[in-house]
């Protein structure tokens, strides 16, 4: 069940989301689109974090996003992309008009049944759907502990597990790949990144302050981060590739 209160929390942020959130390794886009195609649709595109990886893989890239604040950033960053106001439940493109649909860090916000039908509608007969999530590396205890502050119900951190454990309507089982990667991040930027996460955005001021304090405490106490202004953050990106049938 989608928590619409949390989903709506992204409506008003754009610049801060773009500045703080990580990108995705190029290998994740290559897993979905191994050879150039004519048209790719990036659904729930946000500020274009994943969209930017697609521009070299298609003649035409369309980005669909319901947040005006995020679309404004995407249009400025990627003027070559056709950016449209829309949602996964009402995709503003014709039937059978795209070879590939991608969804990065967003499918868990969609109405599963309706979105799957809409994606199937806009894909060509042999089209491909790629779902992508960044999440904590299991080896990084401090990042997983901070993730539990934001997502206490997700013991393994945010991933596609809950979304993909059952088949998507209209699609066969996916091909699954994981890409491991690392980024160097300052402590200040790491803490600020959590302030762009839905549970932090939707919390009232006192609750949010308490969540930030818990993250700060984890960083103060973990031997890999204590007393350090910057650190290496390992991450894992899950990629699920579905082929329409």
């Amino acid at each position: 069940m989608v928590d619409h209160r949390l989903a709506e929390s992204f409506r008003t942020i754009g610049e801060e989301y773009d500045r703080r959130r990580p990108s995705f390794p190029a290998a994740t886009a290559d897993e979905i689109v191994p050879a150039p195609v004519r048209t790719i649709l990036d659904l729930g595109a946000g500020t274009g974090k994943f969209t930017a990886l697609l521009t070299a893989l298609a003649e035409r890239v369309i980005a669909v996003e319901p947040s005006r604040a995020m679309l404004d950033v995407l249009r400025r960053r990627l003027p070559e992309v056709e950016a449209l106001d829309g949602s996964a439940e009402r995709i503003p493109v014709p039937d059978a008009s795209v070879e590939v649909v991608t969804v990065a860090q967003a499918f868990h916000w969609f109405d599963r049944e309706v979105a799957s039908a809409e994606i199937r509608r806009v894909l060509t007969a042999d089209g491909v759907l790629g779902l992508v999530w960044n999440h904590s590396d299991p080896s990084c205890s401090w990042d997983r502990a901070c993730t539990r502050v934001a997502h206490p119900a997700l013991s393994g951190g945010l991933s596609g597990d809950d979304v993909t454990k059952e088949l998507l309507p209209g699609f066969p089982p996916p091909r699954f790949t994981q890409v491991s990667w690392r980024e160097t991040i300052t402590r200040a930027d790491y803490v600020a990144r959590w302030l762009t996460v839905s549970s932090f955005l939707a919390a009232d001021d006192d609750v949010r302050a308490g969540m930030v304090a818990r993250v700060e405490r984890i960083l103060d106490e973990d031997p890999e981060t204590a007393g350090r202004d910057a650190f290496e953050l390992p991450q894992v990106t899950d990629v699920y590739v579905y082929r329409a049938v």
Side-chain angles (χ1 to χ4, degrees):
M1 180 71 68
V2 175
D3 187 326
H4 293 286
R5 180 181 64 91
L6 294 180
E8 288 294 317
S9 67
F10 292 110
R11 288 282 188 171
T12 58
I13 64 170
E15 297 286 353
E16 194 68 6
Y17 185 99
D18 190 59
R19 183 180 304 113
R20 303 301 184 187
R21 285 297 185 98
S23 186
F24 301 85
T28 58
D30 294 337
E31 286 288 339
I32 301 168
V33 195
V37 297
R38 189 180 64 178
T39 306
I40 300 175
L41 167 65
D42 193 25
L43 190 56
T47 62
K49 291 284 187 178
F50 193 73
T51 320
L53 301 178
L54 304 174
T55 57
L57 300 176
E59 297 174 18
R60 180 189 183 200
V61 176
I62 304 168
V64 172
E65 166 60 42
S67 165
R68 177 60 61 87
M70 291 196 179
L71 271 181
D72 287 345
V73 176
L74 188 152
R75 286 171 174 146
R76 186 178 68 252
R77 291 182 64 230
L78 302 170
E80 70 275 29
V81 170
E82 185 178 342
L84 304 177
D85 184 358
S87 70
E89 295 77 21
R90 297 187 66 178
I91 303 174
V93 303
D95 295 359
S97 59
V98 299
E99 288 84 5
V100 178
V101 171
T102 58
V103 185
Q105 217 75 17
F107 196 89
H108 51 288
W109 296 122
F110 300 169
D111 181 317
R112 179 189 179 89
E113 299 289 329
V114 178
S116 295
E118 271 290 90
I119 292 168
R120 191 64 191 83
R121 177 185 67 79
V122 304
L123 279 174
T124 56
D126 58 348
V128 169
L129 166 64
L131 306 184
V132 179
W133 281 273
N134 285 333
H135 63 88
S136 302
D137 188 309
S139 68
C140 187
S141 60
W142 55 269
D143 188 45
R144 288 173 68 83
C146 292
T147 299
R148 286 192 291 273
V149 174
H151 306 293
L154 302 178
S155 59
L158 182 64
S159 73
D161 292 349
D162 287 343
V163 173
T164 59
K165 64 185 176 184
E166 296 180 3
L167 291 181
L168 295 187
F171 292 92
R175 174 172 56 84
F176 174 66
T177 305
Q178 285 190 319
V179 178
S180 297
W181 57 290
R182 305 175 75 87
E183 67 170 321
T184 301
I185 190 168
T186 67
R187 174 174 172 142
D189 285 343
Y190 180 79
V191 174
R193 177 176 291 177
W194 286 110
L195 293 172
T196 70
V197 170
S198 60
S199 55
F200 281 75
L201 289 168
D204 63 37
D205 291 345
D206 290 342
V207 171
R208 185 183 304 111
M211 294 168 74
V212 170
R214 289 169 63 194
V215 168
E216 296 273 15
R217 190 178 311 118
I218 290 165
L219 299 179
D220 285 339
E221 295 176 354
D222 193 284
E224 293 188 13
T225 54
R228 301 180 64 180
D229 293 329
F231 22 77
E232 287 289 304
L233 174 61
Q235 297 191 65
V236 175
T237 303
D238 291 347
V239 185
Y240 299 82
V241 181
Y242 300 79
R243 185 166 292 278
V245 292

